[in-house]
């Protein structure tokens, strides 16, 4: 990440802080969805739990990794930046859906998919910047996390598609258990 931080390290910290804020939010969202899934009593939903727990753990790993990078660049992992405030505001709607009192599971998955779209875009931006800076180390580490986020997104896309197929076309609901 040295090459990426050469010109404007404070702006890189701001961008990493934005990612960190979103990853912290993602962990909280996954925790809530997992708790509701575990209490659902639906065997198909229970069949998804291991995959969803793995995704939550990857979000937590992304959070820890970003904290380490921000500290290494001299940033404050608990500080607010322009971009972290922006992402907090942007995530409020998704949080309202997931943290509401009586959410329906399909709505939870839809809201998580929206969060994962934003998450993917953030990691994709970091990849582009690392590429432009010719920072192979950053490119590799961002690439690992982007690939994980793409898996999360694809699983949620399949889940939403299967709910839609069942509702629109009829037939039994067949939820994915893994990719």
């Amino acid at each position: 990440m040295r090459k990426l931080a050469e010109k404007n390290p404070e702006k890189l910290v701001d961008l990493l802080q934005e990612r960190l804020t979103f990853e912290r939010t993602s962990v909280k969202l996954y925790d809530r969805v997992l708790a509701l899934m575990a209490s659902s009593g639906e065997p198909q939903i229970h069949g998804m739990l291991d995959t969803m727990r793995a995704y939550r753990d990857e979000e937590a790993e992304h959070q820890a990794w970003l904290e380490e990078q921000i500290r290494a660049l001299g940033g404050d992992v608990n500080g607010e930046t322009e971009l972290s405030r922006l992402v907090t505001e942007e995530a409020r709607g998704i949080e309202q859906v997931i943290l509401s009192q009586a959410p329906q599971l399909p709505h939870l998955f839809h809201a998580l998919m929206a969060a994962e779209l934003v998450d993917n875009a953030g990691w994709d931006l970091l990849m582009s910047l690392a590429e432009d800076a010719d920072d192979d180390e950053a490119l590799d580490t961002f690439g690992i996390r982007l690939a994980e986020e793409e898996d999360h997104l694809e699983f949620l896309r399949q889940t939403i598609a299967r709910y839609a197929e069942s509702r629109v076309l009829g037939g039994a609901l067949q939820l994915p258990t893994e990719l």
Side-chain angles (χ1 to χ4, degrees):
M1 187 132 11
R2 284 187 304 261
K3 286 184 180 180
L4 195 55
E6 282 177 357
K7 292 188 180 183
N8 292 305
E10 64 284 343
K11 293 295 182 185
L12 178 59
V13 167
D14 189 17
L15 197 56
L16 294 175
Q17 188 71 36
E18 177 267 340
R19 284 287 77 233
L20 174 60
T21 300
F22 203 86
E23 295 296 338
R24 285 175 174 163
T25 300
S26 293
V27 169
K28 182 170 61 171
L29 298 176
Y30 269 93
D31 284 344
R32 169 74 168 152
V33 171
L34 283 164
L36 292 169
M37 288 174 68
S39 67
S40 77
E42 296 179 37
Q44 284 195 68
I45 297 297
H46 284 228
M48 299 170 68
L49 280 170
D50 288 343
T51 298
M52 293 292 285
R53 282 186 191 112
Y55 293 163
R56 182 260 181 229
D57 292 347
E58 287 174 354
E59 299 290 354
E61 185 280 326
H62 298 173
Q63 175 185 327
W65 183 84
L66 284 160
E67 288 172 353
E68 182 181 314
Q69 302 311 305
I70 291 167
R71 282 188 191 102
L73 292 167
D76 177 6
V77 298
N78 295 313
E80 279 193 346
T81 66
E82 177 185 352
L83 290 176
S84 72
R85 284 187 294 276
L86 175 64
V87 80
T88 297
E89 287 298 315
E90 291 172 342
R92 280 207 173 118
I94 295 170
E95 285 183 282
Q96 285 178 344
V97 170
I98 291 178
L99 301 176
S100 69
Q101 291 303 313
Q104 297 177 30
L105 284 170
H107 296 172
L108 294 176
F109 296 130
H110 192 276
L112 265 183
M113 185 174 72
E116 289 293 358
L117 285 165
V118 172
D119 216 359
N120 271 257
W123 287 104
D124 187 58
L125 174 61
L126 289 172
M127 288 279 297
S128 293
L129 289 171
E131 211 171 293
D132 291 347
D134 198 29
D135 191 331
D136 291 336
E137 178 187 346
L139 197 58
D140 289 344
T141 57
F142 293 154
I144 290 166
R145 284 151 187 91
L146 178 59
E148 290 171 347
E149 295 294 351
E150 287 171 345
D151 287 346
H152 305 178
L153 182 57
E154 183 55 32
F155 183 80
L156 289 164
R157 278 184 181 146
Q158 287 182 22
T159 301
I160 296 302
R162 299 224 179 126
Y163 270 110
E165 288 167 1
S166 176
R167 287 181 171 168
V168 174
L169 303 175
L173 177 64
Q174 294 296 320
L175 295 174
T177 56
E178 57 187 38
L179 278 181

